[in-house]
Amino acid sequence: MQNTIINVFPDLPPDSTVEIALSFGPFIRFLKSRNDKDNMHKNHFFKYIIDQFERHPELLSPIDVKEMYKYSKQLELVYAAVSPVVADEESHYWALCTPGVPSLFFSTNAFFNLITNKDAKGVINNAITKGNEDLQKGLAEMSYSLILEMFYDIPSFFNQEMIKQLDDKETGLAKYYKINPDTRFTDIVPLKPLPQLDMTLFQSRQTDKDEILARLHELMPLNMFRFEGFGITNAEDVTSSYALDTIKNLLLSHSDDESENYAKITNALKTLIGSKDIEFGALPFLQINNKLVFKDKVCTNSMLVRSTKDFVHMETAYAALTEKYFKNPRIVFYNEISEDDTEKENYLKCMKLAGVRSFAFIPVFFNNLLVGMLEVFCKKEGVFTEGLLSRLDPAIPLISQLMKNTIDEFGNGLNKVIKERFTAIQPSVQWKFNEVAWHHMRDVSQQVPDPEIEDIVFENVYPLYGAVDIRNSTIERNAALYKDMQVQFNILVKVLQELKKRSGFGLIDEKIFVTQQWIQKIAAVSEFNEEVKLNDFLENDITPFLINFTESNPAYRNVTDEYFSAIDEKAGKAYHNRRQLERSMNTVISSLNNYFELLKIEIQQAYPCYFEKFRTDGVEYDIYIGQSITPDKPYNDMYLSNLRLMQLTSMVTVAKYSHSLLPHIPRQVETTQLIFIHSHPIDIRFRKDEKRFDVEGAYNIRYHIIKKRIDKVHVRDTGERLTQPNKIALIYFNQKEADEYISYIKYLQGEKMLMDDLEYLDLEDLQGVSGLKALRVGVMVD
């Protein structure tokens, strides 16, 4: 035992504490009360302690803590009386301290070594002495907790669990200790009359505890009390439970920073296992159609993945290993990776090259289903032993929950992509599908005869339609095809002539004659309409002839290879123009698709609406907005006006962006922008057979028909297509519909986004549609 004074808080201001008086009077009174009430086997021991203290009456009155070195025998009796009989003072963290501000004056060797850094095992972390202000507050809370409990029957009002962090220099890791103060032998003496307290102040959960503390300071400052007796401080090593709590808190935090979470979990596991040299990796088993897949952001936490990622030829072996492990999960432990091991398993070679000396795989289960494996590895020899693995057992259920969360997030991500990209069910209307599905499930459970799925209809929604098309896409495709066919037939004639020259085979002359006739027909592009016969000639005549001829005459294979190489769709000369055109169109359309995906997110922030787009030779989209789609948020026409302005602005952005792509694509493909203005609300219904929304009712169907017929409309009496590159065309029926957009056009002209060239145009009559008008305005693309 250590009879040494240790001032735990040397920098505490002198006016921050209560008046204190160190005394063992309360302790002796406690023993006498136990002796009077109980007929226990400890009575003789208690009488002995009382006798030893009464022989030194100065201990029963206030005494200077500096005198305590004289009374080691009596202090040891206190330890024996209040500590478990089997407690080992070399491992029991226990100390006596003064009341109020704790100055330690008697402690076990374990506590003394811990707090004084004897033998360099631990150092009190700065967290225990954060600053005078925090110390003063903490001591005040402890003091007022005792006062409220003793005089007002309000137990443990400010009491909070005290966890202190110490840095262990042997392991380089933090250790955590729970401080348990024992105030049974502390008496509080009021020096002034106690005030009346408003009990409602302590009953309301909304009252801030700092506010209550300030109020107590005002009503009864601590200097009106004297604390007599002594305190006992117990410390408990809670490093393991603290590490587990850290992982639990990370599970509940739902942080998006996976790398930061992983680093914190790794540190917690190091603390749990007690070694800074042991590292951890996590590999959740993500599956698609019952096959394991590997997501980079998740799998980079795996040492197995990191060690093999630079070896392309290792991917097959790596996949085979995880598939094999998934079928037969078990603990795999390598105390040291030997040369023989690396010869047997390629992944062991990769891990050894990465510096790993020993490692283990631990299967992780959630509800008896394998969800992944925990990797434990070390790059130092002789550190990692199999016995250390048992220390991880308490953390495995938490790791399993973490991996299950990762798997669930992966599945949710897949469902989100499927809903947004492949189905008509979007978040803005998901509530309606949920409601209808619930009604159906309810009817089935109640055994309603022939329960039917309700119709999903949204009434009185305002439609917005827009289209961005590749200009003259059909003409461009035909032109590219014509150029490629010229190349193909020229090569074909060349190959046939070479075969004739080398072999003298007479039938080849007939093939050359027919081929030259096709060249003449193709040259008359405007009159050519025999694509079916042409394809039949190439696929069922020329190709079989060349294949059969070279099979019989292998020496001529190098001649015919020139033709077959030319007609390879991926790299052949005869597809060059079509590839360039498709590559250019795909670049533009993909860029438009990505932009409209971002636009969909942006417009939802203003007011939820339904946004559906279709890929054609460009992108078309429908937007529906109205109260019936979002019943929980009041609808106002200002949301429609805002959406229309966003629509027009987005078309400006699309025109500028597609124009900026021209220098970066092999073929100059240009886009046209079209908006159809429709001011009246319509009804839309989800078509169960087609799994998509469509308009409802005769009047609404007319809106749909007009949309489908205006893409190639001409300006009346001119033959000019309405839609033109670098321009936005807006089609409408009456002037009132156009006036709102005209104001937006003027605004964007003022912002230097549109040119000052607004046109008012009449359009040609379409089948079943007449009286259409249009606005057309140029975009400032440069």
Side-chain angles (χ1 to χ4, degrees), residues 226-245:
R226 182 173 69 250
F227 281 46
E228 294 182 356
F230 64 87
I232 300 175
T233 299
N234 290 281
E236 177 187 358
D237 188 343
V238 293
T239 302
S240 295
S241 59
Y242 191 87
L244 295 176
D245 286 341

Side-chain angles (χ1 to χ4, degrees), residues 409-529:
E409 289 174 6
F410 177 71
N412 292 337
L414 288 178
N415 291 334
K416 182 179 179 182
V417 171
I418 291 170
K419 285 183 178 181
E420 290 185 352
R421 301 297 181 93
F422 303 110
T423 76
I425 304 178
Q426 296 179 14
S428 60
V429 296
Q430 178 73 49
W431 66 270
K432 186 66 174 178
F433 287 85
N434 293 342
E435 187 179 89
V436 170
W438 157 239
H439 290 168
H440 180 70
M441 292 171 61
R442 181 191 59 194
D443 291 345
V444 171
S445 66
Q446 295 176 355
Q447 298 182 346
V448 175
D450 300 323
E452 295 185 359
I453 294 286
E454 300 171 18
D455 288 333
I456 295 178
V457 180
F458 295 103
E459 299 177 341
N460 294 320
V461 295
Y462 289 90
L464 291 87
Y465 170 77
V468 181
D469 282 324
I470 301 294
R471 187 195 186 203
N472 297 331
S473 57
T474 301
I475 296 175
E476 293 292 334
R477 280 197 175 93
N478 288 338
L481 174 62
Y482 168 68
K483 292 179 181 178
D484 285 341
M485 294 305 296
Q486 284 184 315
V487 172
Q488 180 174 348
F489 274 92
N490 287 336
I491 293 175
L492 178 57
V493 169
K494 177 183 175 183
V495 167
L496 290 173
Q497 288 176 342
E498 184 65 21
L499 289 175
K500 171 64 178 177
K501 178 180 177 181
R502 293 191 184 187
S503 67
F505 195 64
L507 183 60
I508 297 178
D509 288 329
E510 186 269 340
K511 302 299 181 186
I512 295 174
F513 173 76
V514 176
T515 300
Q516 289 174 335
Q517 282 188 317
W518 277 113
I519 291 176
Q520 294 174 4
K521 291 179 180 180
I522 293 172
V525 178
S526 60
E527 301 177 3
F528 184 72
N529 57 3

Side-chain angles (χ1 to χ4, degrees), residues 244-401:
L244 295 176
D245 286 341
T246 299
I247 300 175
K248 289 178 185 177
N249 293 333
L250 289 171
L251 287 174
L252 297 174
S253 66
H254 301 292
S255 172
D256 293 331
D257 193 338
E258 292 187 16
S259 59
E260 182 181 351
N261 273 358
Y262 175 73
K264 291 179 179 178
I265 290 173
T266 297
N267 287 333
L269 292 176
K270 287 181 178 182
T271 300
L272 185 64
I273 210 168
S275 174
K276 67 176 180 180
D277 297 319
I278 296 179
E279 301 287 345
F280 300 88
L283 186 59
F285 288 154
L286 309 178
Q287 295 186 75
I288 296 292
N289 301 327
N290 296 321
K291 293 182 179 179
L292 291 176
V293 295
F294 305 98
K295 184 181 177 185
D296 289 343
K297 193 174 181 180
V298 173
C299 295
T300 49
N301 294 331
S302 164
M303 185 61 197
L304 185 61
V305 173
R306 294 200 305 271
S307 64
T308 58
K309 68 181 179 64
D310 294 330
F311 300 88
V312 177
H313 62 282
M314 300 301 300
E315 291 181 0
T316 302
Y318 168 59
L321 167 68
T322 51
E323 288 283 356
K324 181 180 178 181
Y325 189 83
F326 188 82
K327 294 176 182 178
N328 184 25
R330 67 194 188 284
I331 294 179
V332 176
F333 178 74
Y334 284 85
N335 185 47
E336 183 177 351
I337 302 177
S338 65
E339 293 297 330
D340 291 339
D341 294 329
T342 60
E343 293 296 326
K344 295 176 183 178
E345 298 285 357
N346 286 327
Y347 76 91
L348 293 176
K349 183 184 298 182
C350 292
M351 295 187 77
K352 188 166 186 178
L353 288 173
V356 175
R357 291 293 172 263
S358 54
F359 79 93
F361 292 151
I362 302 176
V364 179
F365 295 87
F366 185 90
N367 288 343
N368 295 323
L369 294 176
L370 184 67
V371 292
M373 65 182 182
L374 178 67
E375 304 168 353
V376 190
F377 60 94
C378 184
K379 295 186 177 181
K380 288 186 177 181
E381 294 183 3
V383 175
F384 184 20
T385 61
E386 193 170 3
L388 292 177
L389 294 179
S390 62
R391 299 184 187 178
L392 293 172
D393 290 345
I396 296 301
L398 300 176
I399 299 297
S400 72
Q401 181 65 65

Side-chain angles (χ1 to χ4, degrees), residues 176-235:
Y176 299 89
Y177 295 86
K178 181 181 179 181
I179 307 301
N180 300 307
D182 184 349
T183 58
R184 287 179 294 170
F185 310 117
T186 299
D187 290 340
I188 304 174
V189 180
L191 305 179
K192 296 179 182 179
L194 294 173
Q196 289 291 117
L197 295 182
D198 182 3
M199 292 296 107
T200 60
L201 187 67
F202 304 94
Q203 296 170 354
S204 174
R205 295 184 179 182
Q206 297 180 352
T207 307
D208 184 66
K209 287 197 173 183
D210 286 342
E211 180 183 338
I212 295 176
L213 187 63
R215 181 66 174 154
L216 291 174
H217 272 300
E218 180 183 342
L219 290 174
M220 46 181 184
L222 290 176
N223 58 18
M224 66 177 282
F225 296 94
R226 182 173 69 250
F227 281 46
E228 294 182 356
F230 64 87
I232 300 175
T233 299
N234 290 281

Side-chain angles (χ1 to χ4, degrees), residues 667-696:
R667 288 299 174 97
Q668 303 295 288
V669 293
E670 299 178 299
T671 62
T672 62
Q673 292 69 227
L674 174 66
I675 292 173
F676 177 39
I677 307 171
H678 189 82
S679 298
H680 301 288
I682 64 173
D683 300 340
I684 58 173
R685 177 188 297 269
F686 186 77
R687 304 292 183 190
K688 299 171 189 174
D689 52 345
E690 299 178 11
K691 300 295 187 292
R692 62 181 299 270
F693 279 101
D694 205 349
V695 294
E696 177 75 6

